[in-house]
Amino acid sequence: MQNQVKKVIILGSAALKIGEAGEFDYSGSQAIKALKEEGIETILVNPNIATIQTSDHLADKVYLLPVTPDYIEGVIEKEKPDGILLAFGGQTALNCGMELDELGVLEKHNIKVLGTPISVIRATEDRQVFADKLGEINVSVPESKAAATVAETLEIAEQIGYPVMIRLAFALGGLGSGPCWNEDEARDLAEK
């Protein structure tokens, strides 16, 4: 890795308050240390100063900016990294990485996604694709289907039978997801 990658951007934990997203802060801090041991320059983008990641002894440079495609592209244009790590900033970093890929930013700047590839992130974030992938390797999963509208949600829930678990794809911390014991609860959650 050292011969190919000299400078890496790490999308940070983006926690909004102290104590939130501690697992990403810890793992991201360890990733920074490991990269530095390999002689790779580390550029951290994290909007929250109240994290270990943003300590001045870790990353070579820290940008206290929102983890959004516009801001990240600005840092990419300035820093000209060889690679980017997306798996150390929770849902915000994963979503941002997928958007950067969809917008062509990573290809435009010839940036390698290190660690978990975009295709795998997409496969794990899209609940239907994930269920299909598990089926390919004979892992049993509860019956499920993807819905895009309230009407589809209610139709699928009726087919499966109550109770059902409604889960949003690409959601921060599972927000908007939960069990529904009847049509009224399913409608209420789906409308939100």
Side-chain angles (χ1 to χ4, degrees):
M1 180 162 75
Q2 188 174 3
N3 294 335
Q4 300 166 353
V5 177
K6 304 262 188 248
K7 187 189 285 192
V8 172
I9 288 184
I10 300 166
L11 301 187
S13 61
L16 300 175
K17 60 186 178 240
I18 294 173
E20 187 177 62
E23 67 276 21
F24 299 116
D25 190 24
Y26 177 78
S27 62
S29 298
Q30 297 308 306
I32 292 168
K33 289 178 185 178
L35 290 166
K36 286 181 78 170
E37 283 180 14
E38 293 296 320
I40 298 170
E41 186 177 350
T42 56
I43 311 299
L44 173 68
V45 182
N46 188 333
N48 187 356
I49 196 167
T51 62
I52 300 302
Q53 289 179 358
T54 56
S55 298
D56 63 0
H57 68 279
L58 284 175
D60 293 300
K61 289 185 183 174
V62 176
Y63 287 85
L64 298 170
L65 295 171
V67 178
T68 65
D70 289 342
Y71 282 103
I72 302 305
E73 185 169 18
V75 174
I76 287 169
E77 287 171 350
K78 181 177 181 190
E79 295 293 340
K80 304 197 181 337
D82 306 302
I84 189 167
L85 286 166
L86 308 173
F88 300 101
Q91 195 68 52
T92 300
L94 295 174
N95 289 349
C96 182
M98 287 187 291
E99 285 183 67
L100 289 167
D101 183 59
E102 289 165 12
L103 295 168
V105 172
L106 301 177
E107 184 178 356
K108 172 182 166 185
H109 296 281
N110 196 28
I111 296 179
K112 299 174 188 139
V113 175
L114 306 175
T116 307
I118 293 283
S119 61
V120 173
I121 293 170
R122 277 201 183 91
T124 58
E125 291 298 319
D126 184 306
R127 301 215 184 273
Q128 187 63 55
V129 172
F130 186 65
D132 293 344
K133 293 285 184 192
L134 289 174
E136 288 174 14
I137 58 171
N138 297 319
V139 173
S140 297
V141 296
E143 184 179 352
S144 65
K145 292 183 181 176
T149 67
V150 173
E152 276 184 289
T153 302
L154 297 176
E155 183 180 321
I156 291 167
E158 188 66 35
Q159 289 170 5
I160 291 173
Y162 291 97
V164 296
M165 173 67 78
I166 295 179
R167 300 274 302 162
L168 291 182
F170 309 97
L172 293 171
L175 292 176
S177 300
C180 299
W181 295 90
N182 55 50
E183 183 177 334
D184 291 337
E185 290 179 5
R187 181 185 317 280
D188 184 53
L189 189 58
E191 285 175 350
K192 290 179 184 172

